[in-house]
Amino acid sequence: MSGFFITFEGGEGSGKTTIAKMIKDQLTKEGYSVVLTREPGGVEIAEEIRNIIHDVKNTNMDKKTEALLYAASRRQHLIEKVIPALDKNCIVICDRFIDSSLVYQGIARGIGIDEVYQMNLFATENILPVRTIFFDIKPEDGLKRVYDNKDREVNRLDLETLDFHQKVYEGYLDICDKYSERIVKIDASQNIEGVFNQVIEKIKEII
Ligand code: TMP
């Protein structure tokens, strides 16, 4: 594999999806081959798994079932889309990856970060991004953006309590320290242009 695998991480309403599209457009204009994709989803089977996990009627889903479904969707997406694109020397920008599982399932759901990491190794065979960008915004500010944006799909996790999203935020801060050689933090509370400039700078450092 010789492309660049870059992932974007953050809580709800951190703006990473909007910025990912802008980054893809900018890098494409500059002549790079860029694949923009997302988790859970990105390919048909994984999108179907996404629908099951996020369906607001599935409130009784067990937390380990949820973690396994994210890992299943991750593997399918990796095998079908990410690895082939990296083999073609593309820059792959993925909206969420393993760190989301470590934080949401491992920390916020309380399964344990090491347990979730080990379980994910079966799915990813230890393929990790070369750079992960964490969009740092306080959960209450992110959630305000979600509820102010009427066009955004609201999923089962958006409906969790503020306490859950606070744990997610603190979890991200922990893994930023734990994996400081891979994860960089940007200030996502700025306006779109300010966030875009920080992210493009971080990406240009490695491509
Ligand atoms: P998003 O597409 O709006 O970012 O929503 C994806 C949701 O799924 C978000 O609430 C985070 C959650 N999620 C996990 O809990 N674990 C995971 O491994 C992934 C990829 C996402």
Side-chain angles (χ1 to χ4, degrees):
M1 285 189 297
S2 38
F4 294 93
F5 184 27
I6 298 168
T7 58
F8 286 8
E9 292 284 351
E12 318 306 316
S14 62
K16 61 187 172 37
T17 308
T18 307
I19 298 293
K21 289 188 190 126
M22 291 169 69
I23 297 284
K24 183 196 172 178
D25 290 348
Q26 178 62 32
L27 294 178
T28 305
K29 236 187 277 168
E30 292 179 24
Y32 293 97
S33 298
V34 184
V35 171
L36 172 60
T37 189
R38 71 165 179 182
E39 274 204 6
V43 294
E44 207 176 326
I45 295 171
E47 288 290 337
E48 286 186 25
I49 298 172
R50 177 187 180 99
N51 290 339
I52 297 171
I53 310 174
H54 289 173
D55 193 329
V56 286
K57 79 175 187 306
N58 287 337
T59 44
N60 66 343
M61 187 180 290
D62 171 75
K63 60 189 177 186
K64 289 190 181 174
T65 307
E66 183 186 84
L68 288 161
L69 286 173
Y70 278 119
S73 119
R74 175 159 304 129
R75 176 158 186 92
Q76 188 63 32
H77 176 243
L78 201 61
I79 298 295
E80 232 189 285
K81 190 165 183 180
V82 176
I83 294 174
L86 293 173
D87 281 338
K88 287 187 196 136
N89 297 332
C90 293
I91 298 172
V92 177
I93 299 176
C94 190
D95 188 347
R96 298 193 182 280
F97 189 61
I98 190 170
D99 299 303
S100 286
S101 284
L102 299 182
V103 168
Y104 282 79
Q105 282 65 54
I107 298 174
R109 293 278 192 233
I111 298 175
I113 194 165
D114 293 336
E115 286 77 356
V116 173
Y117 191 84
Q118 285 305 319
M119 194 264 284
N120 268 274
L121 285 183
F122 183 65
T124 63
E125 293 167 43
N126 225 352
I127 292 174
L128 284 171
V130 62
R131 185 64 81 243
T132 297
I133 296 173
F134 169 56
F135 287 62
D136 186 355
I137 185 169
K138 290 205 179 70
E140 54 272 29
D141 297 340
L143 287 170
K144 186 171 180 313
R145 285 183 182 169
V146 171
Y147 288 111
D148 286 350
N149 178 359
K150 302 279 176 276
D151 298 331
R152 189 183 174 284
E153 150 202 338
V154 173
N155 68 48
R156 196 165 53 81
L157 284 95
D158 293 332
L159 303 178
E160 288 290 342
T161 58
L162 181 59
D163 183 49
F164 177 86
H165 293 290
Q166 189 63 41
K167 282 190 195 149
V168 167
Y169 181 65
E170 282 158 18
Y172 271 124
L173 296 182
D174 284 353
I175 64 159
C176 283
D177 285 343
K178 194 171 160 104
Y179 302 113
S180 58
E181 72 301 337
R182 175 171 61 83
I183 309 184
V184 292
K185 225 188 286 182
I186 58 103
D187 176 4
S189 67
Q190 291 186 8
N191 63 20
I192 288 197
E193 202 194 351
V195 178
F196 172 83
N197 288 337
Q198 295 174 72
V199 175
I200 199 89
E201 191 187 313
K202 297 292 180 200
I203 291 179
K204 288 286 177 70
E205 281 170 12
I206 56 157
I207 62 174

